[in-house]
Amino acid sequence: MEKVLVVGSLNMDFAVYMERRPQAGETVMAQGMKLVPGGKGANQAYALGKLGAKTAMIGAVGDDTFGQQMLDNLEYVSVDTAGIKQIAGVETGKAFIEIEVSGQNSISVIAGANAAVDEELVLEQEELFAQADAVVMQLEIPVPSVIAAARLAKKHGKVVVLDPAPARADLPDELWAQVDITKPNETELALLTGLPTGTEEEVVTAAQALIAKGVKNVLVTLGGDGTLLVTAEQVEKFPAYKVKAVDTTAAGDCFLASFMSRFTGSNFAEAIDFGAKASAIAVTRQGAQTSIPTVEEVENFN
């Protein structure tokens, strides 16, 4: 995809690093904290830009310091931010992330300006849809806006990609019917379908339930167990790369963006492998956008 439009969220991440996350009522000493630009939409736009895809983004930030930092960071990797609205008197979205030494994390999100990404804001950027080859969306902005974006992308004959996170069970069939590619992990897939995903066979069955709703291709990321591609015609598994994880924040965002940076419309094996390499590198680094590798790093990874 030479030109990709991302419609989604922008958050400033407050990343706290600790030995383990506290239990209810417990206090745990942390080793440190970093402020890192994040948000699923911004992470994917940043990764696409850094990996060489011509990228634009639609979203919203506040008129605060964090909002300007988010815009500056995207523009640093040549992302077109003209579709990102700065809203007066509103705070930029924030995410509070507790990260264990194992790399696993827990995330709490305050929507802030992301809640203002309404259908009107999406529709007034129709020219960006017309210029793109693919439109990538997530679920950290209002669902009606995601549906409007999918509908507008289809109107212009674009590839529609949905990262269904944070996952929810009430997504309408109208949205699924417009999706060409979706990328849940096994936990998200269970929430989306109401079906168990404890085994690989169950994952395939749940993915096929999305196919039945009209989705053309389901990419299920299984962490260290690789990625499953499920379509109406096939099921194929692709391996992951074994690394020591430091921070898994934005690993899925990195995978999807790097996959899209190489995807031509049919070369799933090549694009998935590129995504697997990029996300393997990302989890060995701290932070969201700070963990994204360069094209050269991915191509030289083995």
Side-chain angles (χ1 to χ4, degrees):
M1 302 289 113
E2 293 184 2
K3 298 179 181 179
V4 182
L5 173 62
V6 178
V7 184
S9 58
L10 302 99
N11 295 321
M12 181 58 74
D13 289 350
F14 292 68
V16 181
Y17 297 90
M18 57 187 63
E19 186 72 22
R20 62 176 178 83
R21 289 165 285 179
Q23 300 178 26
E26 181 186 20
T27 299
V28 171
M29 299 299 291
Q31 281 75 56
M33 188 198 81
K34 291 183 179 181
L35 286 176
V36 184
K40 295 192 71 63
N43 291 343
Q44 292 170 16
Y46 181 90
L48 281 159
K50 189 170 183 178
L51 292 168
K54 187 172 183 179
T55 309
M57 183 172 180
I58 295 172
V61 295
D63 60 347
D64 51 14
T65 301
F66 291 149
Q68 190 57 54
Q69 289 175 339
M70 298 296 299
L71 295 174
D72 290 345
N73 206 53
L74 290 174
E75 290 166 1
Y76 181 73
V77 291
S78 302
V79 174
D80 179 356
T81 61
I84 301 174
K85 186 175 182 179
Q86 285 189 281
I87 303 175
V90 176
E91 291 185 320
T92 297
K94 299 177 181 66
F96 299 88
I97 309 173
E98 295 177 329
I99 304 156
E100 296 181 344
V101 292
S102 66
Q104 295 302 310
N105 59 52
S106 297
I107 305 175
S108 301
V109 176
I110 298 174
N114 295 308
V117 183
D118 56 17
E119 296 174 64
E120 181 181 354
L121 189 154
V122 170
L123 295 175
E124 67 187 15
Q125 300 295 335
E126 183 167 0
E127 183 58 29
L128 290 177
F129 286 83
Q131 294 171 357
D133 296 313
V135 178
V136 177
M137 306 165 298
Q138 318 80 33
L139 298 175
E140 288 185 337
I141 60 173
V143 170
S145 303
V146 176
I147 296 171
R151 192 183 300 127
L152 193 53
K154 279 301 179 186
K155 172 185 172 181
H156 289 279
K158 310 305 179 180
V159 174
V160 176
V161 182
L162 177 65
D163 183 350
R168 49 192 294 172
D170 61 346
L171 293 178
D173 290 348
E174 177 193 0
L175 175 59
W176 289 122
Q178 298 177 87
V179 173
D180 294 298
I181 301 171
T182 190
K183 185 214 67 67
N185 60 33
E186 66 266 47
T187 303
E188 292 162 348
L189 184 61
L191 287 168
L192 293 165
T193 63
L195 296 172
T197 57
T199 67
E200 190 169 308
E201 291 76 15
E202 290 175 338
V203 168
V204 172
T205 298
Q208 289 170 336
L210 295 183
I211 298 295
K213 290 180 179 290
V215 180
K216 293 181 176 61
N217 305 277
V218 182
L219 291 175
V220 187
T221 53
L222 305 170
D225 290 330
T227 303
L228 272 176
L229 169 63
V230 181
T231 72
E233 295 80 27
Q234 71 178 87
V235 175
E236 188 170 358
K237 189 172 183 180
F238 300 88
Y241 290 87
K242 303 299 182 183
V243 295
K244 180 175 175 54
V246 171
D247 183 354
T248 57
T249 307
D253 298 330
C254 180
F255 174 86
L256 181 59
S258 51
F259 166 84
M260 289 302 298
S261 75
R262 286 297 171 97
F263 187 57
T264 63
S266 60
N267 62 333
F268 280 97
E270 176 190 354
I272 289 172
D273 186 64
F274 190 80
K277 289 178 178 178
S279 57
I281 295 170
V283 300
T284 66
R285 301 171 176 175
Q286 291 184 341
Q289 292 169 35
T290 51
S291 71
I292 305 299
T294 64
V295 172
E296 291 75 20
E297 288 175 320
V298 180
E299 290 178 341
N300 292 329
F301 178 84
N302 53 48

